[in-house]
Amino acid sequence: MARVGTAAVCGAISLKKVNLRYNKIMRIIRSVQATRFRHIGVLLVLFLLGMMAMRFAASYVSSVASGAGIFDLNFGNDGIYVHDNLLALGDAGRNVYLYAFLPIDTIYAAIYAVFYVYTLAFFLRCTVPNWWNHTRWLVLLPVLGAICDWLENMCFAFMLIQPSTSVNPLLVTSTSLLTKAKFVLVYLSLSIVLGLALGWLVCCARVKRRQE
């Protein structure tokens, strides 16, 4: 009887956790569906500030490492470049890259994911009828891009703490694929946002003409 009672309590706790997670997900979905233009403005400011911080951190790494490149900003990296750039970074460059650039870039990935999700949701709602049933999957593109970015940063962090001569070629190849996937997903999100924004402006202009 005691075991049955314990199992029932554990089951109730698990069910409560599932309900809490479900309610949290539904709140996020409702907030995405209810995106307003003023929300986009606030997120745009955060997005630009995050980009500036990331670019500043990249420049700082290069200045400390006497002009060494930033892996994250290339469309993929081969083994020779990774080896040579790790040597060029030196100990000081590696430390700045690992403890300054990567944390900032990780935060920036979260910022641009949120920005693109809400911006896509806003313009899809304004331009595509019944968008949630037909095109809601598009808001997942920047999320997948951010996930690739985070995994990429983890791989780069692992490279930075290793000697340049012992970097696994498989790690280099997989990281390069993550980098390319990140760029494709993020720039695809940007292209869709720009296209939808243009369509939204055209629709607004037509409505204004009709009212005149």
Side-chain angles (χ1 to χ4, degrees):
M1 291 295 293
R3 290 181 179 178
V4 174
T6 302
V9 171
C10 291
I13 294 174
S14 299
L15 184 59
K16 186 177 181 179
K17 289 181 178 179
V18 170
N19 287 332
L20 289 174
R21 290 175 182 173
Y22 173 78
N23 292 333
K24 186 175 182 180
I25 292 172
M26 290 305 298
R27 283 196 298 270
I28 294 173
I29 290 174
R30 283 193 291 268
S31 69
V32 170
Q33 290 176 318
T35 305
R36 296 290 182 266
F37 188 74
R38 64 178 180 275
H39 301 151
I40 304 303
V42 174
L43 290 173
L44 177 60
V45 172
L46 292 175
F47 172 75
L48 294 175
L49 290 175
M51 180 184 294
M52 290 171 59
M54 185 271 293
R55 292 289 178 176
F56 175 79
S59 299
Y60 183 59
V61 172
S62 295
S63 65
V64 170
S66 302
I70 302 296
F71 298 121
D72 304 59
L73 304 182
N74 300 328
F75 188 71
N77 301 281
D78 58 29
I80 296 175
Y81 177 80
V82 169
H83 175 269
D84 293 344
N85 202 55
L86 285 174
L87 288 176
L89 283 168
D91 292 337
R94 287 188 184 211
N95 286 332
V96 175
Y97 201 131
L98 182 63
Y99 298 112
F101 176 81
L102 287 183
I104 291 173
D105 187 59
T106 300
I107 296 171
Y108 173 60
I111 292 173
Y112 74 63
V114 173
F115 169 71
Y116 281 125
V117 165
Y118 280 84
T119 305
L120 282 168
F122 174 78
F123 286 119
L124 284 170
R125 194 186 74 231
C126 293
T127 57
V128 179
N130 201 18
W131 74 276
W132 185 253
N133 293 330
H134 299 108
T135 57
R136 66 177 180 269
W137 59 272
L138 289 174
V139 301
L140 295 177
L141 294 177
V143 177
L144 294 175
I147 291 173
C148 289
D149 204 338
W150 293 328
L151 293 174
E152 171 203 51
N153 286 347
M154 291 172 62
C155 293
F156 284 140
F158 190 69
M159 290 181 192
L160 290 167
I161 62 176
Q162 289 185 323
S164 58
T165 55
S166 62
V167 176
N168 192 318
L170 182 60
L171 177 63
V172 173
T173 301
S174 58
T175 307
S176 183
L177 291 175
L178 286 169
T179 302
K180 292 177 180 179
K182 172 195 71 176
F183 275 109
V184 169
L185 290 165
V186 171
Y187 281 106
L188 181 58
S189 301
L190 175 61
S191 300
I192 295 172
V193 165
L194 293 176
L196 291 171
L198 180 60
W200 179 68
L201 290 173
V202 171
C203 292
C204 290
R206 287 177 178 175
V207 171
K208 189 174 181 179
R209 285 181 183 178
R210 291 173 184 174
Q211 290 177 345
E212 292 176 351

